[in-house]
Amino acid sequence: MSSRDLPSSLPPFLPMHNPIQGYDWGSHDALTRLFGISNPDGKPQAELWMGAHPNGCSEVSVAGSTQKLSILIEAAPAAVLGDATLARFGSLPFLFKVLCAEKALSIQVHPSKAQAEAGFAREEAAGIPLKAGNRNYKDPNHKPELVFALTPYQAMNGFRTIPAILALFERVKLAAIADLVAALAANQNEAGLQHFFHQLLILDGARKEAALTDLLAYACEHQDEETFALIANLAAQYPGDVGLFSPLLLNVVTLKPGQAMFLDACTPHAYVRGTGLEIMANSDNVLRAGLTPKYIDVAELLDCTRCVAKPDDQILLAPRVEGMTENMVQHFEVPVPDFTFSVYPAGEHALTTASAEILFAIDGDVLLKQGDETLRLEKGQSAFVPATTGRYQMLAEGRVARAGNRS
């Protein structure tokens, strides 16, 4: 598609057709149960992607045909994205997902913007292929994330306080690493936690086996506690993995449906089980720290990890609310411009956009209207709203998620 193939003005609403990623940790039935999306092959359906990422680009219906969203953006970037977004980012700056985890994802850290730019340039200069197993940086962008729970959603997010980490390890009494625990107790600061984290990552041989055997034995005797039940569950999925220490190191949280949390750069985290909406900067940069058979670059991981505690009261992201109680809009504000995320309740809403948006029907049908132009979405369907749309109306039978960016 070129700009010559576009209608004289873009439609205000473009139906989206979204790819589903079949990663092996995905759920077999979550998309079907929640949104009626079929799974005829019975394979894992891990993530439904809404956006223009090259590894999974949505298609949109426009001018009587279906085109990749990326091609539409290339054909008319200012009209689709808006002048300010185009000038600042040059492309759609966010990727919106439905994430369905049946098994735990790897423990991950995402680099900062500066780290990603430097790391990508370094690996490009070294000639490391983009799809190589030892490639850390797939692009020069950071990857902050927000997750909004649709079901109970278990995850780990950020380091516990050092006294809390010590209390758990001293309680479990792992003789094989008693010296490491004592060293952390003597150095309760960022450097001490980094050293402790590093030494756990590089454990091997009989010492690693002994520590994990004792850890699992203790966990199996304390299944009534969330932390130890999680360790036993993870051990069944990733036997012998150093990531089994992570519930002792990281905050374990189960979001209730409707709760959200933000995952910043340089913060270790992992999604364990549940279905949620996830929005992130348009990046694929992941540094792994366990619960995976994939490549772990310990040195690069440590360089990109801030070994500081994330207090309990900073895990959940409280929304800024707008409107009356019975018609309250929730705006989940994040400290990055790449994306915005809001949830609108059932009812009628007058909206205005100056940049591209994606709307996702969470609970029921949605009617989008601008003058004589309308589009109806069923639960689980999404629409792309170009920047040129400006003002429009949304009549919703249930909750609607609205994704965009600050330009």
Side-chain angles (χ1 to χ4, degrees):
M1 174 181 281
S2 69
S3 57
R4 293 190 302 272
D5 300 319
L6 290 172
S8 57
S9 60
L10 281 172
F13 318 113
L14 307 177
M16 300 182 72
H17 313 279
N18 303 305
I20 295 173
Q21 306 286 7
Y23 309 136
D24 61 5
W25 49 260
S27 172
H28 291 74
D29 63 353
L31 289 178
T32 304
R33 284 187 291 104
L34 292 174
F35 305 117
I37 296 172
S38 64
N39 185 8
D41 298 327
K43 295 181 179 180
Q45 294 180 314
E47 296 180 345
L48 183 148
W49 284 23
M50 295 170 279
H53 196 284
N55 291 342
C57 185
S58 298
E59 295 182 333
V60 292
S61 298
V62 58
S65 65
T66 300
Q67 300 287 348
K68 283 190 174 183
L69 178 57
S70 57
I71 293 176
L72 179 70
I73 293 171
E74 290 172 5
V80 176
L81 300 176
D83 290 331
T85 295
L86 178 61
R88 183 167 193 170
F89 298 102
S91 62
L92 188 69
F94 62 88
L95 177 61
F96 190 23
K97 300 179 181 180
V98 183
L99 187 149
C100 311
E102 193 166 289
K103 297 190 294 184
L105 286 67
S106 60
I107 304 164
Q108 302 179 6
V109 170
H110 303 307
S112 69
K113 179 71 170 172
Q115 289 165 338
E117 289 173 343
F120 181 77
R122 186 169 61 248
E123 292 186 339
E124 286 287 279
I128 302 173
L130 273 175
K131 294 188 178 181
N134 64 334
R135 178 92 187 206
N136 291 315
Y137 297 96
K138 306 298 178 63
D139 53 69
N141 202 11
H142 62 168
K143 193 185 176 188
E145 303 173 350
L146 177 149
V147 63
F148 174 86
L150 297 175
T151 69
Y153 195 95
Q154 190 177 38
M156 292 179 276
N157 184 359
F159 285 107
R160 298 176 185 265
T161 64
I162 292 177
I165 292 172
L166 285 169
L168 285 168
F169 275 93
E170 289 169 352
R171 177 181 160 189
V172 177
K173 292 184 172 61
L174 304 177
I177 58 168
D179 58 326
L180 301 182
V181 177
L184 177 60
N187 295 278
Q188 297 187 39
N189 50 42
E190 184 173 353
L193 180 55
Q194 184 185 60
H195 177 77
F196 185 65
F197 185 42
H198 182 195
Q199 295 305 306
L200 291 180
L201 287 170
I202 61 174
L203 278 180
D204 60 4
R207 189 184 192 197
K208 172 186 171 184
E209 183 178 352
L212 289 178
T213 297
D214 290 349
L215 174 64
L216 186 56
Y218 189 95
C220 289
E221 293 174 357
H222 296 81
Q223 293 290 286
D224 57 326
E225 298 178 52
E226 182 180 27
T227 295
F228 296 107
L230 175 56
I231 291 172
N233 178 37
L234 294 176
Q237 298 176 31
Y238 300 98
D241 193 296
V242 292
L244 300 181
F245 293 113
S246 57
L248 305 182
L249 290 166
L250 307 180
N251 296 298
V252 177
V253 59
T254 298
L255 300 180
K256 298 175 183 177
Q259 290 183 326
M261 64 181 181
F262 179 69
L263 300 105
D264 206 350
C266 306
T267 301
H269 63 275
Y271 298 147
V272 177
R273 186 178 180 88
T275 299
L277 299 177
E278 184 185 30
I279 185 167
M280 63 190 65
N282 196 30
S283 172
D284 201 23
N285 286 326
V286 175
L287 296 163
R288 294 176 177 84
L291 303 181
T292 180
K294 295 182 180 179
Y295 176 65
I296 298 178
D297 186 333
V298 173
E300 193 69 22
L301 170 72
L302 291 172
D303 282 347
C304 292
T305 301
R306 293 183 65 240
C307 292
V308 296
K310 186 164 190 172
D312 289 347
D313 61 0
Q314 293 181 18
I315 294 175
L316 295 182
L317 184 62
R320 175 177 62 84
V321 297
E322 177 186 344
M324 304 298 290
T325 303
E326 66 276 6
N327 196 35
M328 191 166 57
V329 180
Q330 297 178 305
H331 301 291
F332 292 89
E333 298 178 339
V334 296
V336 295
D338 306 68
F339 60 84
T340 59
F341 179 80
S342 300
V343 176
Y344 288 75
E348 184 171 353
H349 305 278
L351 304 177
T352 302
T353 184
S355 60
E357 297 181 346
I358 295 174
L359 304 173
F360 179 82
I362 300 175
D363 298 319
D365 288 2
V366 179
L367 179 66
L368 304 176
K369 185 175 181 181
Q370 185 191 68
D372 295 332
E373 296 270 6
T374 63
L375 175 66
R376 180 173 292 277
L377 301 177
E378 297 179 357
K379 180 171 65 172
Q381 293 183 333
S382 59
F384 186 81
V385 183
T388 51
T389 299
R391 295 181 180 180
Y392 64 98
Q393 289 76 45
M394 180 172 73
L395 288 77
E397 295 180 4
R399 291 175 301 165
V400 179
R402 185 188 188 195
N405 70 276
R406 294 204 314 268
S407 52

